[in-house]
Amino acid sequence: MKVNWQGVYPAVTTQFNDDESINFETTKSMINTLIEEGVHGIIVLGTVGENCSLRAEEKREVLRAAKDVVAGRVPLISGVAETTTALAVEFVRDAQEIGVDGYMVLPGMVYRSTEREAIHHYQQVARNTCLPIMIYNNPVTYGVDVSIEGMKVLVEEANIVSVKEATEDTRRISELFSAFGDRYVVFGGVDDIALESLMLGATGWISGLTNVFPRESVAIYKLAQQGRYEEARELWRWFLPLLRLDTIPTLVQCIKYAEQLAGRGSEVTRSPRLPLTEDEKAYVRRLYDEAITNRIDLSKFNLD
């Protein structure tokens, strides 16, 4: 199975009202703005989308809203983050009916799987949908690493076509290409090593901070694809302080607060996530203000 998945895919936030109910209109508006600003795909219901904080029917409602606004302009990928394999199978069947273009599948939530169990989980999900699947490999957060040997087992599943590589070890990207050639579409999945990942051959970047600065994210990707690394580094060094927010426990709150500062959304998260403290907000605000003050004129790169 071949897919045309490449470029910058923001893992979008799910927007909430002050009472923590879902604000569908703001969520749709945010997604539409990102597409208009040039992102290459949309991922809903990832970690940043607070998947595990949503009820089952709410997840389906978010997918319907996203499908409505994306309207085929870019690939729409849904996160799959269920507590059991059976629930994950049920979810992918429903999401396929709603009309998503593929899935980013996480291991079973709550229970920390062994690699053998994670592989079984991915196999069962793959065998219950005809849509393409991206493996989200994030041992730092989820406690299980699907190794190169594990990916050799999953290569037998024709619709497992992609890997979001988030081990924080860029050597894994080279190891994937050495072991599998172009069998898997490889995405960099950690914001603050995204440029290195692209330079090593990753065909895309799944990002949280792209929600705040989409045009700059797309420019970094385009410069890297063109081998214009010196120019990419200039933009990268400007962006890096904010990108580091993607690697801390409060990443969702930080990204949402930065979105609010940018006039793109609300900082409201669903409990048990709590708002940032005033000191934490001041830190994010300082990084955001510095980025705005020193923002680089993208027209200098002649990317259009």
Side-chain angles (χ1 to χ4, degrees):
M1 181 180 291
K2 295 294 184 181
V3 295
N4 186 27
W5 291 356
Q6 58 185 335
V8 179
Y9 284 42
V12 302
T13 59
T14 302
Q15 291 293 302
F16 297 117
N17 298 303
D18 288 341
D19 64 357
E20 298 187 9
S21 62
I22 298 175
N23 187 327
F24 288 100
E25 288 308 309
T26 302
T27 300
K28 290 170 68 174
S29 175
M30 176 191 61
I31 292 172
N32 184 63
T33 298
L34 287 167
I35 295 172
E36 289 182 342
E37 291 181 316
V39 302
H40 305 95
I42 293 290
I43 296 180
V44 295
L45 301 180
T47 304
V48 176
E50 298 181 70
N51 187 319
C52 293
S53 297
L54 302 183
R55 294 185 293 275
E57 183 51 35
E58 288 180 320
K59 297 180 186 185
R60 277 74 172 173
E61 291 172 350
V62 168
L63 290 185
R64 294 185 190 101
K67 174 67 176 177
D68 179 60
V69 69
V70 172
R73 290 178 288 172
V74 296
L76 173 62
I77 298 176
S78 173
V80 181
E82 303 299 322
T83 55
T84 69
T85 302
L87 287 174
V89 167
E90 181 181 301
F91 179 81
V92 297
R93 289 173 174 169
D94 289 349
Q96 181 172 314
E97 183 69 22
I98 289 167
V100 303
D101 298 304
Y103 311 101
M104 179 180 74
V105 184
L106 283 67
M109 295 291 97
V110 182
Y111 172 71
R112 180 173 290 187
S113 305
T114 65
E115 184 179 17
R116 182 172 71 92
E117 290 169 330
I119 289 170
H120 176 79
H121 180 80
Y122 290 133
Q123 288 172 323
Q124 298 312 305
V125 172
R127 293 169 188 176
N128 281 276
T129 180
C130 63
L131 295 181
I133 287 172
M134 174 191 301
I135 300 298
Y136 184 6
N137 192 40
N138 187 341
V140 176
T141 301
Y142 301 117
V144 54
D145 180 15
V146 181
S147 65
I148 295 296
E149 291 304 309
M151 294 305 298
K152 288 179 180 177
V153 177
L154 293 175
V155 81
E156 299 300 323
E157 309 298 327
N159 60 333
I160 294 181
V161 300
S162 181
V163 183
K164 177 184 177 183
E165 178 46 54
T167 60
E168 297 189 350
D169 181 356
T170 55
R171 290 171 293 190
R172 181 63 63 84
I173 291 172
S174 296
E175 290 168 351
L176 283 165
F177 285 115
S178 295
F180 303 107
D182 62 356
R183 169 61 178 82
Y184 293 114
V185 174
V186 179
F187 279 81
V190 183
D191 268 359
D192 63 357
I193 54 172
L195 179 57
E196 295 94 320
S197 300
L198 293 169
M199 293 172 72
L200 289 168
T203 58
W205 170 19
I206 295 173
S207 171
L209 271 301
T210 291
N211 289 293
V212 185
F213 289 105
R215 295 187 190 277
E216 284 81 357
S217 300
V218 170
I220 288 168
Y221 168 78
K222 288 182 176 179
L223 289 168
Q225 290 300 106
Q226 295 173 20
R228 296 163 61 183
Y229 297 127
E230 184 174 350
E231 294 165 285
R233 282 196 299 270
E234 178 187 0
L235 195 50
W236 180 253
R237 289 167 181 166
W238 164 84
F239 205 0
L240 184 59
L242 274 170
L243 294 173
R244 300 303 296 271
L245 297 174
D246 183 63
T247 62
I248 62 178
T250 54
L251 78 154
V252 177
Q253 293 97 314
C254 288
I255 290 168
K256 279 193 151 183
Y257 182 57
E259 280 185 295
Q260 179 168 297
L261 293 173
R264 291 176 170 268
S266 165
E267 68 172 314
V268 178
T269 52
R270 184 170 278 185
S271 302
R273 287 186 176 91
L274 295 177
L276 299 175
T277 66
E278 289 306 312
D279 285 346
E280 290 169 329
K281 285 185 179 182
Y283 176 66
V284 175
R285 190 164 55 247
R286 177 173 64 80
L287 294 181
Y288 176 80
D289 288 345
E290 288 176 355
I292 291 297
T293 298
N294 299 308
R295 197 169 193 172
I296 297 170
D297 182 0
L298 297 181
S299 66
K300 67 185 284 186
F301 299 116
N302 296 314
L303 289 168
D304 293 331

